[in-house]
Amino acid sequence: MQNLKKSVEIIGLTSNEAKLLQERYGKNNIVPEKKENFIVKILEVLREPMFLLLLVAAMIYFVLGEPRDGIVMLIFVVAVITIDVVQEWKTDETLKALRDLSAPQVTVIRDGVETDIVSEDLVPGDFVIISEGVKVPADGYIIKANDLCIDESSLTGEPINVWKDVITNSNDEYLKKNYCYAGTLVTQGSGVIKVDKIGVETEYGKIGKSVSETQEKITPLKKQVAVLVKVCAYIAVFLFMLVVIITYMNLIECNFKDRLIESILSAITLAMAMIPEEFPVILTVVLSMGAWRLAKKNSLVKKLPSVETLGAVSVLCVDKTGTITMNKMKVKDIWTLNTDIEDFNKAMGMACEIDPYDPMEQAMIEYCERNHITKDMLFSGTLVKEYSFTNESKMMGHVWKKHRHIIIAAKGSPERIMALCNLDNKVRKSVSSKMREMSKRGLRVIAVAKMIIENESDIPKNLEGCSLDFLGLVALQDPPRDTVKEDIKNCANAGIKVVMITGDNGMTASAIAKEVGIAGNENIITGEMIDKLSDEELKEKVKGVSIFSRVIPEHKRRIVKAFQDNGEIVAMTGDGVNDAAALKKADIGIAMGKRGSEVSREAADLVLLDDNFSTIVYTVKDGRRIYDNIKKAIGYVFTIHIPIALSSLLAPLLDISSNQLLLLPVHIVLLELIIDPTCSIVFERQPAEDSIMERTPRNSSENILTAKLLFKSIVQGIVLFIASFGIYYIYLMRYNAPVEVARSMAILIIMISNLLLVQVNSSNTEYAYKSFIKLRKDKVIWSVIVITIASIVILFYTPISLILKLAPLTISEVVIALVISIFSIMWYEIIKFIKNR
Ligand code: ADP
Ligand code: MG
């Protein structure tokens, strides 16, 4: 790539031209963007059963000749719609921002310089630089090609690699040789293309539409929530009818019209209290906000449902180099065999790229320079041939023509290089033992060899065809990242197995694994063994193993499968073109944002912007927190609805007349206005429990609403019901208080309890004050508290109370309500205390 830049003098479009062209041709999108319509959004909200109920209730009030109540209802309808639309709009914005962050980038030449732009902004006439691992972003002519090979299977359906070049032009073929197509994949080499067609105009755009419109998979969590909603809805419908009948029967002395209206009204009240509209909202808000927070911590979730899977991860397969280690190499040791050190260094340097990208090669060049072998000395002459590095061969070489002779300088894994050298057994043994000694220190060992030939025609076609002179070994250090040791310990506590995958040799890997504290670091499976084992055998083998050495990317898919067959939920990192299959197979495929290829990023569920192992661990931890919070929010919704639903249900049973009801429809909407934001916004912000990384990963088949959670929520709800309804009933019946006062007491209790409930339920083991301390600087939490108190004041102590059929309470009444609220919620703290004992 670097070489390319130098040899091509391309100015490209100016930014101004690009802007004009974009106005003319639009964005480079395969699927035209859908316009969001505000009206449609509101209509969607209106379609929900909750609003139909609200509207019916409002209408009934008008029919009953109580237009004031009707208008109040309508105002509330508007308020609820507003909250819903705002919330949905915010979620959409968040998701859009996330999408933009993960939008594919391309390198173009504009104004004479290479710049990275979002692929969407590409216009016809742009010059795009493509290289291995890049997905071609638009149709275009090849302007420059360097070993350029493209996999066009996404267009043709056949997995053939097509070599592309500038000159050849056979127009009769469907796919031209000097032309490349959007959606195809660069598998080798590099090149520059001049964009011809973009977006829907491309070949891929023409056929691609149907491909990209495939429906999103419904995740287990979504399914569970759908079931939950359905069950609740059925119960609501059943109780609705029950209440209609009972109320109707009770009102035997009234006329038919009154009976009907009255019974429908109380039934609607009940239905409003029972409709589980919050559940889907919780899911989208908590997941999308969770993803957003992760993005700010360098972890980009590409598929929202992955957030829920994260918390269940039980095996973490990570690349050693760059993820566990820093990928900052340093030459630590050199050992030569019958060669003087300068010769060795020269050969080592000549086997590197001229402008190395690989940190290991950078370290080698730097080492040469420190020993007074400059780059000019190394790279004088002409590079006549390259034997490029492949994962399979694990070695590479350069053929340099200097003065009269030709030098082949090669380096690679000692086994492979030694196989090309003519060494007797004794020497072979001493090389091996030196290599072992270096590896055991956690160093990466590379062998260097060379060959001198006279004629250019004698240059072997590939490195395997060379007969090399062995020069020696170089050992490089790549220290582990600072935080890795700590993170691996945390993973072990959290029941997450960390597996190291590397192309490096087993002893080096083992030494590093030992250094960072990976358990079972003496058991190693090599790539060779994987090839020999069947899937069944591998499945058994992987159980006690946490190091895979000398692996090629193709092995990774089998490693993932083996763990999955053991029932594990597997996260796997990858950066190369060949890692895509493993990333797709893994439950969580993690691509590297910095050094990863476009293809790996596309196949991944998660992109790691800083390539850091610690970020993976943080992400898993946060995945657990997010899942916990969904669970807590769902439990909360159950709890808080029980007193509301039960009081609506009990009123007709106790034969309380309709104007004496504890909760009229307005009050239910009022409470709904508090509950809605609480369950999503407040629970979304709950901090992780201290013990979150001390428990084992959750069983991925576990239902979000466990029996335990349901039981707890129901008990909490019933206690709250007894407290609020009890007070109301006592005030009404015993003290003969006006219904407004009795009702206000009960509603106040529910509102205060609501605040306490959030704190108490933020953990099953940690005490409420602890979660409150963690959140004491959270503005949103404080606003919720302030808004609750303010609304209590406004609702009870201003003329609004008359409209809402509430009444101002005396100080002693407020204190009573406060004390009762505390008792009816905080008892759970005692349970925690007993459990913690
Ligand atoms: P990792 O999985 O640790 O990143 P790689 O796949 O990059 O390992 O490398 C595997 C092995 O290939 C190395 O241990 C080394 O022997 C050899 N190798 C890697 N890069 C080079 C290179 N630039 N030149 C020669 N040999 C290399
Ligand atoms: Mg590497």
Side-chain angles (χ1 to χ4, degrees), residues 321 358 360-361 389 396 411-413 444 502-504 550:
T321 311
D358 184 348
M360 184 175 82
E361 298 199 339
F389 177 83
M396 62 174 291
K411 65 177 176 9
S413 82
R444 165 181 282 210
T502 180
D504 225 336
R550 291 286 188 235

Side-chain angles (χ1 to χ4, degrees), residues 164-425:
K164 297 282 179 178
D165 222 323
V166 189
I167 335 114
T168 41
N169 188 4
S170 36
N171 269 323
D172 41 42
E173 281 177 59
Y174 169 58
L175 299 172
K176 291 175 262 175
K177 285 271 176 285
N178 67 336
Y179 199 80
C180 65
Y181 299 89
T184 58
L185 171 67
V186 183
T187 50
Q188 208 175 314
S190 55
V192 176
I193 62 169
K194 185 176 181 191
V195 175
D196 178 35
K197 289 177 182 149
I198 61 165
V200 281
E201 293 299 309
T202 61
E203 290 300 315
Y204 192 65
K206 287 179 202 158
I207 60 159
K209 268 187 194 168
S210 51
V211 183
S212 51
E213 274 165 15
T214 45
Q215 288 248 314
E216 223 180 279
K217 227 173 33 183
I218 297 182
T219 64
L221 193 53
K222 253 193 189 156
K223 247 185 247 167
Q224 289 174 22
V225 168
V227 171
L228 207 58
V229 169
K230 223 181 196 163
V231 171
C232 292
Y234 281 141
I235 297 176
V237 169
F238 170 74
L239 292 178
F240 179 89
M241 295 199 290
L242 194 71
V243 168
V244 170
I245 294 167
I246 292 174
T247 320
Y248 188 78
M249 293 303 189
N250 279 347
L251 297 171
I252 210 106
E253 67 279 7
C254 303
N255 68 34
F256 173 71
K257 190 181 144 221
D258 284 352
R259 280 172 89 179
L260 194 64
I261 287 181
E262 188 97 333
S263 45
I264 289 179
L265 204 56
S266 34
I268 284 182
T269 317
L270 177 77
M272 280 191 335
M274 288 211 48
I275 285 186
E277 40 140 27
E278 286 93 349
F279 294 135
V281 179
I282 292 174
L283 210 57
T284 44
V285 171
V286 178
L287 287 179
S288 60
M289 284 308 291
W292 177 241
R293 285 175 205 286
L294 280 171
K296 286 198 269 184
K297 301 268 186 186
N298 287 327
S299 180
L300 202 60
V301 175
K302 284 186 52 203
K303 295 161 193 157
L304 208 52
S306 317
V307 178
E308 71 184 70
T309 317
L310 273 170
V313 166
S314 59
V315 172
L316 213 57
C317 299
V318 281
D319 291 321
K320 173 181 74 83
T321 311
T323 311
I324 289 187
T325 66
M326 296 200 234
N327 207 10
K328 281 192 190 129
M329 304 263 180
K330 204 167 171 193
V331 174
K332 272 279 155 176
D333 203 353
I334 284 184
W335 178 79
T336 59
L337 185 77
N338 314 325
T339 326
D340 80 81
I341 192 104
E342 184 158 329
D343 263 5
F344 177 91
N345 289 348
K346 275 187 185 155
M348 174 175 81
M350 279 161 66
C352 293
E353 302 292 333
I354 300 169
D355 264 318
Y357 173 75
D358 184 348
M360 184 175 82
E361 298 199 339
Q362 286 171 356
M364 290 174 174
I365 299 279
E366 192 200 287
Y367 183 80
C368 287
E369 286 180 332
R370 255 194 290 144
N371 288 287
H372 313 293
I373 305 170
T374 62
K375 265 184 158 181
D376 287 341
M377 284 156 79
L378 287 173
F379 305 129
S380 63
T382 35
L383 181 63
V384 276
K385 191 172 174 66
E386 278 191 64
Y387 302 115
S388 32
F389 177 83
T390 63
N391 287 311
E392 289 74 22
S393 71
K394 302 224 189 295
M395 56 185 178
M396 62 174 291
H398 282 167
V399 186
W400 285 94
K401 195 172 174 184
K402 291 193 175 188
H403 311 298
R404 244 161 301 140
H405 42 239
I406 292 162
I407 306 168
I408 301 179
K411 65 177 176 9
S413 82
E415 313 97 274
R416 294 306 177 93
I417 293 289
M418 270 202 282
L420 308 181
C421 301
N422 192 7
L423 300 173
D424 64 42
N425 257 341

Side-chain angles (χ1 to χ4, degrees), residues 787-831:
I787 289 174
T788 304
I789 294 173
S791 36
I792 288 172
V793 173
I794 295 171
L795 293 176
F796 295 116
Y797 297 97
T798 67
I800 290 179
S801 65
L802 287 177
I803 303 174
L804 293 180
K805 303 198 166 68
L806 297 171
L809 300 172
T810 65
I811 291 190
S812 56
E813 281 166 342
V814 171
V815 172
I816 291 174
L818 196 63
V819 171
I820 289 178
S821 306
I822 291 174
F823 273 110
S824 63
I825 300 297
M826 300 311 259
W827 61 268
Y828 193 68
E829 295 290 290
I830 298 169
I831 304 270

